[in-house]
Amino acid sequence: MDRSGIFAGDDPFAIARSWLAEAEPLEPNDANAIALATVDGTGLPNVRMVLLKDIEPAGFVFYTNYTSRKGQEIEASGKAAFVLHWKSLRRQIRVRGLTSREEGPQADEYYASRSLKSRLGAWASRQSQPLSSRTALMAEVAKVTASKGTNPPRPAFWGGVRITPLEIEFWADGAFRLHDRFRWERSTPEEGWKIERLNP
Ligand SMILES: Cc1cc2nc3c(=O)[nH]c(=O)nc-3n(C[C@H](O)[C@H](O)[C@H](O)COP(=O)(O)O)c2cc1C
């Protein structure tokens, strides 16, 4: 298979890391923003942006509130998908996989790296629940600021979600809509990857 240039290599996580590094100086904001898809109990999909914080040797990690809508849908299904799209590079990466929580020292470390206001914000927000007013939210922020102090611990309801992919597709724009697509696929995380070139 003629998988050369930007598609080359035997580690899809390394390819994803290298594409993101290329996009970072070109995108005006949040080159690591992903559109994260989950599915509810009826099979109705749901999608929203989150920030991809880690491309690990074998997984993709973002952070969120576990009691949010996405948190609950992920908990129930154990699955998620996302797409990264860079307009600057005219490329996308699609990922589908199995989810697990990252709520150990790695999550503590990431939480601690955030600004104090963001750390307190995570405590104050009952993400995805109805909110009566902005004032009510600010009152909640004031309350947690008074009660949690300047070194708040990571809330147990907030942490990382790791997506262990079963499928990763790398897509790059080609002339006349004849794009290049390579799909890496496996049926379990223990298996090796099957790589195929796909029609555009
Ligand atoms: C660029 C961008 C980045 C975002 N990053 C995050 C994030 O990392 N984590 C998060 O929980 N929400 C993030 N959000 C907010 C989510 O899109 C969403 O509004 C929120 O998580 C609630 O989603 P849910 O009700 O489906 O759970 C981000 C939004 C945008 C536009």
Side-chain angles (χ1 to χ4, degrees):
M1 198 195 316
D2 56 335
R3 199 166 51 78
S4 58
I6 58 169
F7 295 100
D10 55 9
D11 177 359
F13 300 95
I15 299 174
R17 245 177 259 120
S18 124
W19 285 26
L20 176 58
E22 256 185 273
E24 253 151 13
L26 302 176
E27 290 289 314
N29 279 305
D30 299 329
N32 61 333
I34 60 179
L36 173 80
T38 53
V39 69
D40 74 10
T42 71
L44 189 64
N46 216 336
V47 65
R48 81 291 282 157
M49 305 305 295
V50 297
L51 297 178
L52 183 62
K53 284 295 167 181
D54 266 313
I55 303 180
E56 299 177 330
F60 297 91
V61 180
F62 66 90
Y63 287 85
T64 196
N65 183 313
Y66 294 135
T67 66
S68 66
R69 187 109 180 242
K70 81 182 85 49
Q72 293 184 30
E73 290 179 359
I74 284 168
E75 209 63 38
S77 70
K79 296 176 185 133
F82 70 81
V83 63
L84 266 161
H85 170 232
W86 298 291
K87 292 187 163 128
S88 57
L89 289 176
R90 297 177 193 271
R91 287 188 214 164
Q92 71 174 335
I93 301 179
R94 298 168 61 180
V95 171
R96 302 173 76 210
L98 309 177
T99 54
S100 54
R101 284 190 184 193
E102 174 47 66
E103 48 187 348
Q106 192 175 324
D108 294 339
E109 196 179 315
Y110 173 62
Y111 180 77
S113 77
R114 305 172 85 222
S115 73
L116 179 59
K117 284 211 157 78
S118 303
R119 281 178 279 159
L120 292 167
W123 273 106
S125 169
R126 294 179 181 82
Q127 194 176 54
S128 313
Q129 298 301 312
L131 176 64
S132 60
S133 66
R134 178 99 200 158
T135 312
L137 176 62
M138 296 328 283
E140 199 54 43
V141 170
K143 207 164 100 189
V144 299
T145 301
S147 66
K148 302 289 171 198
T150 54
N151 190 18
R154 179 179 59 80
F157 57 78
W158 188 99
V161 175
R162 175 173 295 107
I163 301 177
T164 301
L166 296 176
E167 215 175 291
I168 307 182
E169 182 191 314
F170 295 94
W171 183 104
D173 184 68
F176 308 110
R177 307 276 151 126
L178 297 177
H179 316 299
D180 287 308
R181 301 177 64 188
F182 288 93
R183 182 174 60 202
W184 299 55
E185 207 178 3
R186 58 189 182 182
S187 6
T188 67
E190 291 73 40
E191 263 175 41
W193 293 103
K194 180 179 124 197
I195 310 168
E196 280 176 311
R197 183 188 264 280
L198 300 179
N199 271 277

